[in-house]
mmCIF file of all heavy atoms in Angstrom:
data_model
loop_
_atom_site.group_PDB
_atom_site.id
_atom_site.type_symbol
_atom_site.label_atom_id
_atom_site.label_comp_id
_atom_site.label_asym_id
_atom_site.label_seq_id
_atom_site.Cartn_x
_atom_site.Cartn_y
_atom_site.Cartn_z
ATOM 1 N N ILE V 107 -171.094 156.351 145.361
ATOM 2 C CA ILE V 107 -172.166 155.356 145.030
ATOM 3 C C ILE V 107 -172.515 154.513 146.338
ATOM 4 O O ILE V 107 -173.834 154.319 146.510
ATOM 5 C CB ILE V 107 -171.574 154.418 143.994
ATOM 6 C CG1 ILE V 107 -171.332 155.112 142.733
ATOM 7 C CG2 ILE V 107 -172.422 153.150 143.811
ATOM 8 C CD1 ILE V 107 -172.485 155.385 141.776
ATOM 9 N N ARG V 110 -175.063 156.138 148.695
ATOM 10 C CA ARG V 110 -176.478 156.353 148.213
ATOM 11 C C ARG V 110 -177.111 154.941 148.069
ATOM 12 O O ARG V 110 -178.318 154.817 148.563
ATOM 13 C CB ARG V 110 -176.619 157.009 146.901
ATOM 14 C CG ARG V 110 -176.403 158.494 146.994
ATOM 15 C CD ARG V 110 -177.394 159.296 146.162
ATOM 16 N NE ARG V 110 -178.710 159.354 146.790
ATOM 17 C CZ ARG V 110 -179.810 159.901 146.268
ATOM 18 N NH1 ARG V 110 -179.737 160.526 145.103
ATOM 19 N NH2 ARG V 110 -181.055 159.940 146.850
ATOM 20 N N TYR V 111 -176.431 154.018 147.569
ATOM 21 C CA TYR V 111 -177.125 152.789 147.150
ATOM 22 C C TYR V 111 -176.681 151.527 147.797
ATOM 23 O O TYR V 111 -177.158 150.382 147.457
ATOM 24 C CB TYR V 111 -176.906 152.572 145.549
ATOM 25 C CG TYR V 111 -177.229 153.839 144.747
ATOM 26 C CD1 TYR V 111 -176.118 154.564 144.154
ATOM 27 C CD2 TYR V 111 -178.393 154.358 144.738
ATOM 28 C CE1 TYR V 111 -176.401 155.741 143.405
ATOM 29 C CE2 TYR V 111 -178.672 155.623 143.967
ATOM 30 C CZ TYR V 111 -177.638 156.256 143.356
ATOM 31 O OH TYR V 111 -177.851 157.385 142.709
ATOM 32 N N SER V 115 -173.871 147.968 145.125
ATOM 33 C CA SER V 115 -173.540 148.993 144.163
ATOM 34 C C SER V 115 -172.121 149.460 144.379
ATOM 35 O O SER V 115 -171.379 149.657 143.318
ATOM 36 C CB SER V 115 -174.427 150.155 144.272
ATOM 37 O OG SER V 115 -175.762 149.877 144.000
ATOM 38 N N THR V 119 -169.245 148.956 141.382
ATOM 39 C CA THR V 119 -168.510 150.090 140.844
ATOM 40 C C THR V 119 -167.082 150.094 141.045
ATOM 41 O O THR V 119 -166.193 150.514 140.230
ATOM 42 C CB THR V 119 -169.040 151.381 141.446
ATOM 43 O OG1 THR V 119 -170.464 151.388 141.250
ATOM 44 C CG2 THR V 119 -168.505 152.696 140.707
ATOM 45 N N GLY V 388 -172.193 151.759 132.940
ATOM 46 C CA GLY V 388 -173.159 151.405 133.938
ATOM 47 C C GLY V 388 -173.276 152.490 135.104
ATOM 48 O O GLY V 388 -174.318 152.855 135.340
ATOM 49 N N PRO V 389 -172.161 152.924 135.703
ATOM 50 C CA PRO V 389 -172.342 153.838 136.783
ATOM 51 C C PRO V 389 -172.735 155.253 136.542
ATOM 52 O O PRO V 389 -173.065 155.965 137.474
ATOM 53 C CB PRO V 389 -170.973 153.738 137.455
ATOM 54 C CG PRO V 389 -170.288 152.491 136.870
ATOM 55 C CD PRO V 389 -170.840 152.341 135.598
ATOM 56 N N ALA V 391 -175.352 157.075 135.369
ATOM 57 C CA ALA V 391 -176.463 157.659 135.775
ATOM 58 C C ALA V 391 -176.722 157.662 137.287
ATOM 59 O O ALA V 391 -176.940 158.676 137.946
ATOM 60 C CB ALA V 391 -177.800 156.878 135.229
ATOM 61 N N ALA V 392 -176.269 156.526 137.975
ATOM 62 C CA ALA V 392 -176.421 156.417 139.437
ATOM 63 C C ALA V 392 -175.467 157.503 140.125
ATOM 64 O O ALA V 392 -175.764 157.954 141.125
ATOM 65 C CB ALA V 392 -175.966 154.960 139.807
ATOM 66 N N PHE V 393 -174.232 157.625 139.429
ATOM 67 C CA PHE V 393 -173.327 158.567 139.958
ATOM 68 C C PHE V 393 -173.621 160.130 139.801
ATOM 69 O O PHE V 393 -173.835 160.923 140.712
ATOM 70 C CB PHE V 393 -171.901 158.290 139.487
ATOM 71 C CG PHE V 393 -170.774 159.218 140.190
ATOM 72 C CD1 PHE V 393 -170.459 158.963 141.431
ATOM 73 C CD2 PHE V 393 -170.214 160.206 139.316
ATOM 74 C CE1 PHE V 393 -169.508 159.710 141.954
ATOM 75 C CE2 PHE V 393 -169.184 160.937 139.851
ATOM 76 C CZ PHE V 393 -168.888 160.799 141.288
ATOM 77 N N ALA V 402 -184.012 159.353 143.980
ATOM 78 C CA ALA V 402 -183.521 158.032 143.524
ATOM 79 C C ALA V 402 -183.608 156.955 144.635
ATOM 80 O O ALA V 402 -183.492 157.339 145.871
ATOM 81 C CB ALA V 402 -181.943 158.345 143.124
ATOM 82 N N THR V 403 -183.809 155.795 144.209
ATOM 83 C CA THR V 403 -183.844 154.564 145.249
ATOM 84 C C THR V 403 -182.668 153.759 145.012
ATOM 85 O O THR V 403 -181.957 153.703 144.215
ATOM 86 C CB THR V 403 -185.189 153.812 144.924
ATOM 87 O OG1 THR V 403 -185.098 153.197 143.592
ATOM 88 C CG2 THR V 403 -186.491 154.730 144.994
ATOM 89 N N VAL V 404 -182.518 152.958 146.169
ATOM 90 C CA VAL V 404 -181.413 151.980 146.115
ATOM 91 C C VAL V 404 -181.395 151.017 145.052
ATOM 92 O O VAL V 404 -180.413 150.834 144.381
ATOM 93 C CB VAL V 404 -181.465 151.274 147.527
ATOM 94 C CG1 VAL V 404 -180.361 150.181 147.515
ATOM 95 C CG2 VAL V 404 -181.138 152.160 148.664
ATOM 96 N N ASN V 405 -182.590 150.523 144.639
ATOM 97 C CA ASN V 405 -182.687 149.498 143.550
ATOM 98 C C ASN V 405 -182.344 150.229 142.257
ATOM 99 O O ASN V 405 -181.841 149.723 141.323
ATOM 100 C CB ASN V 405 -184.041 148.771 143.445
ATOM 101 C CG ASN V 405 -184.147 147.783 144.579
ATOM 102 O OD1 ASN V 405 -183.114 147.063 144.925
ATOM 103 N ND2 ASN V 405 -185.310 147.564 145.164
ATOM 104 N N ALA V 406 -182.877 151.489 142.098
ATOM 105 C CA ALA V 406 -182.567 152.303 140.759
ATOM 106 C C ALA V 406 -181.135 152.353 140.619
ATOM 107 O O ALA V 406 -180.686 152.153 139.456
ATOM 108 C CB ALA V 406 -183.216 153.637 140.978
ATOM 109 N N GLY V 407 -180.334 152.675 141.657
ATOM 110 C CA GLY V 407 -178.855 152.837 141.458
ATOM 111 C C GLY V 407 -178.245 151.581 141.116
ATOM 112 O O GLY V 407 -177.507 151.288 140.201
ATOM 113 N N LEU V 408 -178.623 150.404 141.856
ATOM 114 C CA LEU V 408 -177.981 149.141 141.686
ATOM 115 C C LEU V 408 -178.303 148.555 140.251
ATOM 116 O O LEU V 408 -177.390 148.247 139.513
ATOM 117 C CB LEU V 408 -178.535 148.124 142.763
ATOM 118 C CG LEU V 408 -178.048 146.682 142.510
ATOM 119 C CD1 LEU V 408 -176.593 146.588 142.638
ATOM 120 C CD2 LEU V 408 -178.638 145.751 143.592
ATOM 121 N N TRP V 409 -179.634 148.562 139.838
ATOM 122 C CA TRP V 409 -179.891 147.960 138.518
ATOM 123 C C TRP V 409 -179.473 148.820 137.431
ATOM 124 O O TRP V 409 -179.258 148.264 136.236
ATOM 125 C CB TRP V 409 -181.397 147.622 138.540
ATOM 126 C CG TRP V 409 -181.718 146.389 139.436
ATOM 127 C CD1 TRP V 409 -182.245 146.357 140.543
ATOM 128 C CD2 TRP V 409 -181.390 145.152 139.121
ATOM 129 N NE1 TRP V 409 -182.355 145.148 141.159
ATOM 130 C CE2 TRP V 409 -181.779 144.393 140.160
ATOM 131 C CE3 TRP V 409 -180.775 144.493 137.926
ATOM 132 C CZ2 TRP V 409 -181.673 142.975 140.200
ATOM 133 C CZ3 TRP V 409 -180.605 143.133 138.046
ATOM 134 C CH2 TRP V 409 -180.908 142.275 139.046
ATOM 135 N N SER V 410 -179.364 150.084 137.584
ATOM 136 C CA SER V 410 -178.886 150.885 136.521
ATOM 137 C C SER V 410 -177.500 150.662 136.278
ATOM 138 O O SER V 410 -176.931 150.588 135.061
ATOM 139 C CB SER V 410 -179.168 152.436 136.700
ATOM 140 O OG SER V 410 -178.239 152.899 137.852
ATOM 141 N N ILE V 411 -176.663 150.366 137.185
ATOM 142 C CA ILE V 411 -175.277 149.988 137.173
ATOM 143 C C ILE V 411 -175.025 148.728 136.369
ATOM 144 O O ILE V 411 -174.386 148.588 135.495
ATOM 145 C CB ILE V 411 -174.588 149.939 138.418
ATOM 146 C CG1 ILE V 411 -174.504 151.422 139.119
ATOM 147 C CG2 ILE V 411 -173.078 149.473 138.318
ATOM 148 C CD1 ILE V 411 -174.036 151.413 140.543
ATOM 149 N N ILE V 412 -175.935 147.671 136.926
ATOM 150 C CA ILE V 412 -175.912 146.300 136.300
ATOM 151 C C ILE V 412 -176.235 146.266 134.735
ATOM 152 O O ILE V 412 -175.561 145.846 133.957
ATOM 153 C CB ILE V 412 -176.675 145.329 137.132
ATOM 154 C CG1 ILE V 412 -176.019 145.220 138.487
ATOM 155 C CG2 ILE V 412 -176.711 144.030 136.357
ATOM 156 C CD1 ILE V 412 -176.865 144.442 139.499
ATOM 157 N N LEU V 413 -177.466 146.799 134.542
ATOM 158 C CA LEU V 413 -177.962 146.753 133.217
ATOM 159 C C LEU V 413 -177.332 147.707 132.255
ATOM 160 O O LEU V 413 -177.314 147.355 131.106
ATOM 161 C CB LEU V 413 -179.572 146.986 133.263
ATOM 162 C CG LEU V 413 -180.392 146.071 134.057
ATOM 163 C CD1 LEU V 413 -181.854 146.456 134.080
ATOM 164 C CD2 LEU V 413 -180.232 144.674 133.465
ATOM 165 N N SER V 440 -178.496 152.913 131.222
ATOM 166 C CA SER V 440 -178.513 153.079 132.660
ATOM 167 C C SER V 440 -179.319 154.300 133.199
ATOM 168 O O SER V 440 -179.864 154.246 134.214
ATOM 169 C CB SER V 440 -177.051 153.194 133.133
ATOM 170 O OG SER V 440 -176.557 154.658 132.840
ATOM 171 N N VAL V 443 -183.138 153.178 133.017
ATOM 172 C CA VAL V 443 -183.385 152.241 134.114
ATOM 173 C C VAL V 443 -183.412 152.940 135.471
ATOM 174 O O VAL V 443 -184.326 152.803 136.273
ATOM 175 C CB VAL V 443 -182.391 151.060 134.175
ATOM 176 C CG1 VAL V 443 -182.449 150.335 135.471
ATOM 177 C CG2 VAL V 443 -182.492 150.301 133.015
ATOM 178 N N PHE V 444 -182.476 153.919 135.590
ATOM 179 C CA PHE V 444 -182.361 154.711 136.839
ATOM 180 C C PHE V 444 -183.679 155.423 137.181
ATOM 181 O O PHE V 444 -184.153 155.342 138.211
ATOM 182 C CB PHE V 444 -181.086 155.625 136.735
ATOM 183 C CG PHE V 444 -180.896 156.542 137.857
ATOM 184 C CD1 PHE V 444 -180.380 156.047 139.167
ATOM 185 C CD2 PHE V 444 -181.395 157.817 137.938
ATOM 186 C CE1 PHE V 444 -180.113 156.932 140.152
ATOM 187 C CE2 PHE V 444 -181.091 158.784 139.030
ATOM 188 C CZ PHE V 444 -180.557 158.143 140.132
ATOM 189 N N ILE V 447 -187.011 153.082 137.483
ATOM 190 C CA ILE V 447 -187.153 152.285 138.634
ATOM 191 C C ILE V 447 -187.436 153.205 139.874
ATOM 192 O O ILE V 447 -188.226 152.992 140.707
ATOM 193 C CB ILE V 447 -185.961 151.398 138.963
ATOM 194 C CG1 ILE V 447 -185.820 150.212 137.995
ATOM 195 C CG2 ILE V 447 -185.956 150.849 140.300
ATOM 196 C CD1 ILE V 447 -184.682 149.365 138.139
ATOM 197 N N SER V 448 -186.776 154.383 139.765
ATOM 198 C CA SER V 448 -186.991 155.351 140.827
ATOM 199 C C SER V 448 -188.406 155.752 140.920
ATOM 200 O O SER V 448 -189.013 155.931 141.979
ATOM 201 C CB SER V 448 -186.112 156.662 140.706
ATOM 202 O OG SER V 448 -184.729 156.260 140.848
ATOM 203 N N GLU V 451 -190.765 152.862 142.079
ATOM 204 C CA GLU V 451 -190.776 152.645 143.512
ATOM 205 C C GLU V 451 -191.186 153.751 144.376
ATOM 206 O O GLU V 451 -191.778 153.530 145.555
ATOM 207 C CB GLU V 451 -189.295 152.184 143.849
ATOM 208 C CG GLU V 451 -188.832 150.961 143.291
ATOM 209 C CD GLU V 451 -187.551 150.371 143.967
ATOM 210 O OE1 GLU V 451 -186.622 151.203 144.265
ATOM 211 O OE2 GLU V 451 -187.517 149.061 144.047
ATOM 212 N N ALA V 459 -183.176 156.899 148.405
ATOM 213 C CA ALA V 459 -181.951 156.366 148.994
ATOM 214 C C ALA V 459 -181.349 157.595 149.767
ATOM 215 O O ALA V 459 -181.657 158.761 149.491
ATOM 216 C CB ALA V 459 -180.963 156.004 147.855
#
Side-chain angles (χ1 to χ4, degrees):
I107 292 284
R110 286 225 73 178
Y111 314 112
S115 295
T119 306
F393 182 69
T403 63
V404 170
N405 284 328
L408 174 61
W409 285 104
S410 68
I411 293 169
I412 294 172
L413 295 179
S440 75
V443 171
F444 177 79
I447 293 180
S448 292
E451 290 198 325

